[in-house]
């Protein structure tokens, strides 16, 4: 049993519409709080979308995700996992970006996550656009490159946008491979689809050994078979999980900047995260929820539900590592 201080507030004690919203009603523990040393998984907001190239809005994602996360309860209804009893979890607050500077925002985010990693905490982050993942990887992969399981409708492997702009939400994993943050042979990208500018991103993936599973293959093989392969590619080494909400079909998750039709439904969206069990997850994120395009809040609710599935497997991974 983990420390009761780190358990979420129950809806039996305080109505879910009341109180100050934190991720999953967990306690807020700032980076200078003396209780930070007791946290094992930290939920973090990255409210920044300076890398967005079309429809902005994900900078508002963490706030809406926090609000919708008050509906998350303490036990996984499918697996029975009770993550808050396995490890101490807390809301560590938001990174403070610079909305006027891409470069400074990346530096600020890396500095924030350096402190999180130094405290021995595994981050579960809510974006923000997908460029937010790059500074997180810069902090987590200082010692050695990580594997990655990546759910998305886009590879985010392009070299540059607009004549040489290297840092957009379409380039983070190209930079991560170039910087030695990811071991490309332990990277799998699942759900890739939609029209394309050209084959540059896929050619790069092939050249370095990244496994790309397009949506047609995903639907043909089924979730369980695809996830068996994903776990095999990640292997037993430290692995990052990055989940773009546009992996999900826009019929179920319309609130995102670059939707692509033909994707998984909401049950499959949860199932792929549930089948991460056994992966050594040292960090994860859920990005690209854009409240301006999410009038009902349904995209954010699905997003935090996916985060809870990832949290359950992160908690199991922590327990396994401690055994």
């Amino acid at each position: 049993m983990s420390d009761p201080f780190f358990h979420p507030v129950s809806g039996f004690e305080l109505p879910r519409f009341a109180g100050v919203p934190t991720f999953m009603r967990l306690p807020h523990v700032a980076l200078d709080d003396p209780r930070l040393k007791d946290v094992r998984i930290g939920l973090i907001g990255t409210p920044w979308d300076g890398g967005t190239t079309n429809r902005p809005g994900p900078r508002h994602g963490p706030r809406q995700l926090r609000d919708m996360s008050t509906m998350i309860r303490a036990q996984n209804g499918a697996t029975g996992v009770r993550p808050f009893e396995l490890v101490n979890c807390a809301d560590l607050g938001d990174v403070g970006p610079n909305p006027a500077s891409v470069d400074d925002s990346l530096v600020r985010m890396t500095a924030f996550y350096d402190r999180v990693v130094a405290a021995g905490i595994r981050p579960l982050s809510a974006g923000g656009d997908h460029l937010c993942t790059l500074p997180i990887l810069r902090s987590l992969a200082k010692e050695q490159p990580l594997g990655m399981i990546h759910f998305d409708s886009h590879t985010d492997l392009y070299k540059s946008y607009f004549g040489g702009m290297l840092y957009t939400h379409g380039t983070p994993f190209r930079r991560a491979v170039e910087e030695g943050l990811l071991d490309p042979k332990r990277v799998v990208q699942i759900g890739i689809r939609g029209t394309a500018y050209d084959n540059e991103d896929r050619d790069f993936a092939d050249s370095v050994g990244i496994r790309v599973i397009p949506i047609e293959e995903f639907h043909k093989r089924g979730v369980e078979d695809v996830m068996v392969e994903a776990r095999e590619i990640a292997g037993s080494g430290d692995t990052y999980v990055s989940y773009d909400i546009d992996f999900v079909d826009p019929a179920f998750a319309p609130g995102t900047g670059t939707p692509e039709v033909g994707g998984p439904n909401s049950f499959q969206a949860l199932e792929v995260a549930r089948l991460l069990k056994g992966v050594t997850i040292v960090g994860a994120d859920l990005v690209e929820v854009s409240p301006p395009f999410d009038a009902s809040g349904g995209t954010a609710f699905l997003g935090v539900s996916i985060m809870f599935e990832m949290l359950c497997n992160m908690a199991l991974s922590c327990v396994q590592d401690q055994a």
Side-chain angles (χ1 to χ4, degrees):
M1 180 74 70
S2 61
D3 188 332
F5 173 81
F6 293 103
H7 288 194
V9 177
S10 171
F12 291 154
E13 297 174 7
L14 183 70
R16 299 188 177 279
F17 53 81
V20 177
T22 58
F23 279 121
M24 303 181 195
R25 311 192 94 190
L26 290 163
H28 173 227
V29 177
L31 295 190
D32 57 358
D33 192 300
R35 298 232 58 179
L36 184 73
K37 62 181 173 53
D38 301 317
V39 179
R40 292 295 167 264
I41 297 177
L43 285 80
I44 299 165
T46 57
W48 185 74
D49 58 8
T52 301
T53 58
N54 185 21
R55 303 195 303 179
R59 67 181 61 186
H60 303 291
R63 185 165 294 185
Q64 189 186 38
L65 287 160
R66 277 193 177 91
D67 193 23
M68 298 306 293
S69 77
T70 61
M71 287 301 296
I72 298 297
R73 301 175 182 87
Q75 179 170 307
N76 189 309
T79 65
V81 173
R82 299 177 66 86
F84 310 115
E85 294 181 7
L86 294 175
V87 294
N88 293 340
C89 304
D91 186 330
L92 304 188
D94 283 351
V95 175
N98 179 348
S101 172
V102 171
D103 292 339
D104 188 44
S105 289
L106 294 174
V107 170
R108 286 167 176 247
M109 283 190 273
T110 301
F112 185 100
Y113 281 91
D114 281 349
R115 295 178 67 186
V116 172
V117 173
I121 298 170
R122 301 188 187 195
L124 174 56
S125 306
D129 72 37
H130 222 151
L131 185 55
C132 294
T133 305
L134 180 60
I136 302 173
L137 291 173
R138 285 173 172 170
S139 293
L140 284 170
K142 288 184 183 298
E143 301 298 326
Q144 61 181 0
L146 303 175
M148 184 176 70
I149 298 176
H150 173 203
F151 303 101
D152 206 324
S153 59
H154 314 101
T155 65
D156 297 346
L157 287 172
Y158 276 97
K159 181 178 181 180
S160 68
Y161 277 51
F162 299 101
M165 297 297 101
L166 299 178
Y167 297 103
T168 78
H169 66 168
T171 66
F173 303 123
R174 181 72 162 259
R175 302 288 87 78
V177 172
E178 292 171 347
E179 293 178 23
L181 308 175
L182 293 174
D183 175 356
K185 292 181 172 54
R186 293 184 54 231
V187 173
V188 56
Q189 300 185 314
I190 302 169
I192 308 305
R193 63 187 186 275
T195 55
Y197 296 110
D198 51 40
N199 290 326
E200 182 208 330
D201 59 332
R202 297 289 289 272
D203 290 343
F204 176 78
D206 290 342
S207 72
V208 297
I210 292 173
R211 171 71 165 110
V212 176
I213 299 178
I215 198 63
E216 293 79 10
E217 182 181 347
F218 176 88
H219 285 309
K220 183 176 181 178
R221 292 173 58 189
V223 171
E224 290 193 16
D225 190 43
V226 166
M227 290 308 297
V228 166
E229 182 183 0
R231 293 193 300 270
E232 289 175 347
I233 290 171
S236 59
D238 290 354
T239 300
Y240 192 82
V241 177
S242 192
Y243 200 127
D244 189 322
I245 197 66
D246 73 27
F247 167 73
V248 188
D249 192 275
F252 302 91
T256 190
T258 315
E260 302 287 356
V261 297
N265 61 34
S266 57
F267 178 74
Q268 293 169 318
L270 296 173
E271 193 176 13
V272 294
R274 193 171 295 155
L275 290 173
L276 292 166
K277 183 178 179 181
V279 177
T280 304
I281 305 173
V282 297
D285 62 47
L286 185 285
V287 299
E288 296 285 359
V289 170
S290 185
F293 302 102
D294 191 28
S296 71
T299 304
F301 184 45
L302 176 58
V304 297
S305 299
I306 292 165
M307 286 180 68
F308 182 72
E309 294 290 345
M310 294 196 291
L311 175 65
C312 288
N313 284 318
M314 289 179 71
L316 292 172
S317 179
C318 282
V319 171
Q320 180 63 37
D321 286 355
Q322 294 167 2

